[in-house]
Structure formats: structure tokens, C-alpha cells
Amino acid sequence: MKKISIVCLTALMSCAAALVNCEAALAQEKEMRYENALNFRMINKGVPDGVTSNPYQRYPDALKDSVVTQLWNTATNSAGLGIRFRSDSKTIAVRYRLMYGTSMNHMADTGKKGLDLYALEEDGWCFVNSWRPAKGNQQEGVIVRNMDGQMREYTLYLPLYDGIENLEIGVEEEARLERPEVDSPRSDRGKLVFYGSSIMQGGCASRTGMCATNIIQRELDVECVNAGNSGQAKLYAPMANLLASMENVMAFIIDPVPNCTQGQCDTLTCRFIRTIRKAHPDVPVIMVEGPLYPRGNYDLELGENLRKKNEIFYAKYLELKAENPKGLYYVHSDGLQAEGDEGTVDSVHLTDYGFRAYADVLIPAIRKAVGRKALK
């Protein structure tokens, strides 16, 4: 009986201590000062703010009536977007509201609707922590605390498969929270524009900083516009017109094969690429084959379809190359899958390991297309 009493007393004391710590943490968070994230620098957006009713929307409102509903819904996802700021706060918090509260059975909430915080150190951008979404659309809490109080540059990456209605960044009451001083990604360079499927949009990165466009943005120090459309990268003419209308583009990376049928690859590829090249005759275009999914090694019908689509896509590249060889590049599927075919969640969508392998194939292709001097 005595031992039981001691155990119970110890448990009660632990609960009391936990309650005190919780109250202290809540008190600390109540002293946080929040500012609208739009007061700082948004990166990786391909269109001007004035053409979107929601600043965290990737495509202009004018596109809505020209595309299917599913494609437009992906336009409201904030995939690839980031907020750059600097602060000397020992605690960084966030407060934001999601549009949908997306639920998927093969992708972590931290990637779908969470946030990733990165800090700029001497050796480059370093991951700090993720915001793990709670239930419901309203999100609020601390991403990191107990830092040393040095002034640092930060990037906050936004949800890959959900939209944001509003976003605030929280710091300690007396801390500084300012626009960034370091020009990273470099604003004096053009942007890389990526068009593709759910894989390009970020499915299924475990957290937002690990989709391919965000990896490439950090490594090449250039803004990367994520125009990935989950299930809808079908070479629609309105999307070609949208990409063609974008300004200050360094290169286009076009990766639609996973969403296209053989017929779409055959009939729509050249029109799509010609639209972009006509508007940007001096901007490189990199055409990327579809990955050969691991399941295709066993599902023979699927494997044959994937290979055939790539063959058709490559034939269209050769046709376009014959018309005008300048600035047109091609990336074969070799290496797009991680070593040992271990880079997917479901034999299609990528894990972080898969995104790392995918980015490692695209980075040298981009360097070759734009010239190494342009990315120094």
C-alpha cells in the first residue's frame, strides 16, 4: 500500500509539474507579437499579386473559367511558395488558416498542410523545424523556442496540398521582425518555372521544404515557380498560355508525361512547347520524361504504357528540335527514380529520398541549359 501511495504521489507531482510547464509555455506564447506574413518577401510565385484574389494563390483569377475544376483547385494550393524574413527572436511561432484541411491517405500532414522553417547559416540553408498541423483549419503554435537571440534570415515554406487564407508570423514582444537583408534566392536572376504532375506539386514529400522545386531553389539560389497540377498536367492550352505569359523566366522545366495518355503526348506536346517557345524564344526549355514506376516492373501492361508514353514524348522532342534546336533540352527517365526503386510512397509519388534523387537529376540539366555562369 505504501509503495502504491508513493507511486500515486509521484504521478501527481509529475502532472503538477507538467501543468506548471504548460502554463508557463502558454504564458510565453501569449506574449508573442504577430505580424502579417505579407509584410515580408514572398518567393517562388510566378504571377503578380494583383491578378490573384488570394495572395497565396499560384494562378491568376482569369484562368478559373478556362480550366477544369480539379485543375483550378490545385491553383489555390500554395505549393512551392515561401516567406522570407529576418528576426532575432528566441521563439518563432505561426498562426494561419487553411482553406481545405486536406486529408490524404498516402501523404504526411506536415507536407500537405504544414509549414517548414529554414535558417540561413554560413554553409547555406539549414532546416530548423516543421509545424505539425493540428485538427481543424485554424493553426497556431510555436515552431522553435530557446534560440540564442542572434539575428537570422529565415524561409518559411507553405503547404503543398492545401491553400492558405491568412498567415501571421509570431516573435517575442521585444524582438525585431523585418524584411530580409540577404538577397536569397537572388532577385537579380530570372525564375525557373516548373510544370508537371502531382509529383511536381510535391506529392508526397514528408514536409514542405522537401519537394523538388524547394530543394532546387535552395541549392541554386534562384526562385522556383511550382506550377505542378496534381492529376491535371495534361498539356492544356490555357496552362501553356499561362506559362508563356510569365516574365523574367530563366528556364522552363516541363514534366507532364505522368498525367498524359499516349494520345495526349502525341497530339498536344508540340503545341504546348511551341506556345512557350514563341513567347520566350531565348529561354531554354527542358522536357522531362515520366519516371518508370517500380510497379511497372511487375505490372507488365503499366510498364509498357509508361515506356510507350516516353517514346512518344521523345519523338515530339526530336520533332521540335528539328524545327529549332536552340535552347531545347531533354531529360531521360534514367535516374529519376531513387537507387533501388526505393524512392516512392506508393510506387508513384515520391518520398523525400525520391525528391532528392529527382532534384539531383534536374540540377545538372538546369545548369547545362542556362549556363553555369548564370547560376554562380
Side-chain angles (χ1 to χ4, degrees), residues 77-129:
N77 295 164
S78 53
L81 299 181
I83 301 295
R84 284 277 289 108
F85 64 96
R86 68 195 298 260
S87 179
D88 59 359
S89 180
K90 295 180 180 180
T91 301
I92 303 290
V94 290
R95 184 163 65 194
Y96 66 105
R97 184 167 183 81
L98 295 162
M99 294 180 68
Y100 308 114
T102 305
S103 177
M104 295 163 64
N105 62 9
H106 63 326
M107 185 173 178
D109 282 356
T110 43
K112 292 194 301 282
K113 49 191 176 182
L115 303 171
D116 264 8
L117 185 67
Y118 278 73
L120 184 59
E121 305 294 351
E122 290 185 2
D123 57 348
W125 286 101
C126 297
F127 175 60
V128 177
N129 195 17

Side-chain angles (χ1 to χ4, degrees), residues 277-332:
R277 299 187 86 194
K278 182 178 179 180
H280 298 271
D282 298 320
V283 175
V285 175
I286 303 170
M287 298 171 63
V288 184
E289 279 188 350
L292 300 177
Y293 309 139
R295 191 173 80 249
N297 295 327
Y298 301 92
D299 182 333
L300 302 184
E301 183 177 338
L302 172 65
E304 177 59 24
N305 182 49
L306 295 174
R307 286 188 290 273
K308 185 61 178 176
K309 288 198 296 181
N310 281 345
E311 289 173 6
I312 295 169
F313 196 60
Y314 184 62
K316 294 304 166 182
Y317 160 74
L318 294 177
E319 182 179 334
L320 292 162
K321 191 81 170 174
E323 293 175 2
N324 176 14
K326 180 184 176 183
L328 188 64
Y329 300 85
Y330 196 85
V331 174
H332 291 278

Side-chain angles (χ1 to χ4, degrees), residues 193-210:
V193 177
F194 295 79
Y195 171 77
S197 65
S198 54
I199 296 171
M200 186 66 78
Q201 184 173 334
C204 289
S206 69
R207 52 185 181 81
T208 62
M210 287 306 295

Side-chain angles (χ1 to χ4, degrees), residues 148-307:
D148 58 17
Q150 293 184 32
M151 178 64 77
R152 284 188 174 87
E153 300 270 336
Y154 294 99
T155 296
L156 190 67
Y157 289 113
L158 308 190
L160 298 173
Y161 270 79
D162 211 319
I164 285 185
E165 293 183 357
N166 54 69
L167 170 63
E168 295 174 293
I169 298 169
V171 297
E172 294 163 321
E173 187 64 42
E174 302 303 319
R176 295 162 63 188
L177 178 59
E178 303 169 353
R179 289 183 63 84
E181 284 192 353
V182 177
D183 187 27
S184 179
R186 294 265 296 273
S187 59
D188 61 346
R189 296 172 168 172
K191 299 179 180 181
L192 299 173
V193 177
F194 295 79
Y195 171 77
S197 65
S198 54
I199 296 171
M200 186 66 78
Q201 184 173 334
C204 289
S206 69
R207 52 185 181 81
T208 62
M210 287 306 295
C211 76
T213 57
N214 288 341
I215 292 172
I216 294 169
Q217 177 249 297
R218 291 193 300 275
E219 296 208 4
L220 297 184
D221 202 24
V222 60
E223 288 198 64
C224 291
V225 177
N226 188 320
N229 303 130
S230 181
Q232 295 299 316
K234 298 180 179 180
L235 299 168
Y236 294 124
M239 285 301 300
N241 294 332
L242 172 62
L243 299 186
S245 71
M246 292 184 180
E247 299 178 350
N248 194 30
V249 179
M250 178 181 282
F252 292 95
I253 297 87
I254 309 298
D255 183 9
V257 177
N259 285 165
C260 290
T261 63
Q262 293 182 25
Q264 289 168 328
C265 287
D266 187 35
T267 60
L268 302 180
T269 298
C270 287
R271 183 188 67 181
F272 193 92
I273 301 297
R274 285 176 186 137
T275 298
I276 295 171
R277 299 187 86 194
K278 182 178 179 180
H280 298 271
D282 298 320
V283 175
V285 175
I286 303 170
M287 298 171 63
V288 184
E289 279 188 350
L292 300 177
Y293 309 139
R295 191 173 80 249
N297 295 327
Y298 301 92
D299 182 333
L300 302 184
E301 183 177 338
L302 172 65
E304 177 59 24
N305 182 49
L306 295 174
R307 286 188 290 273

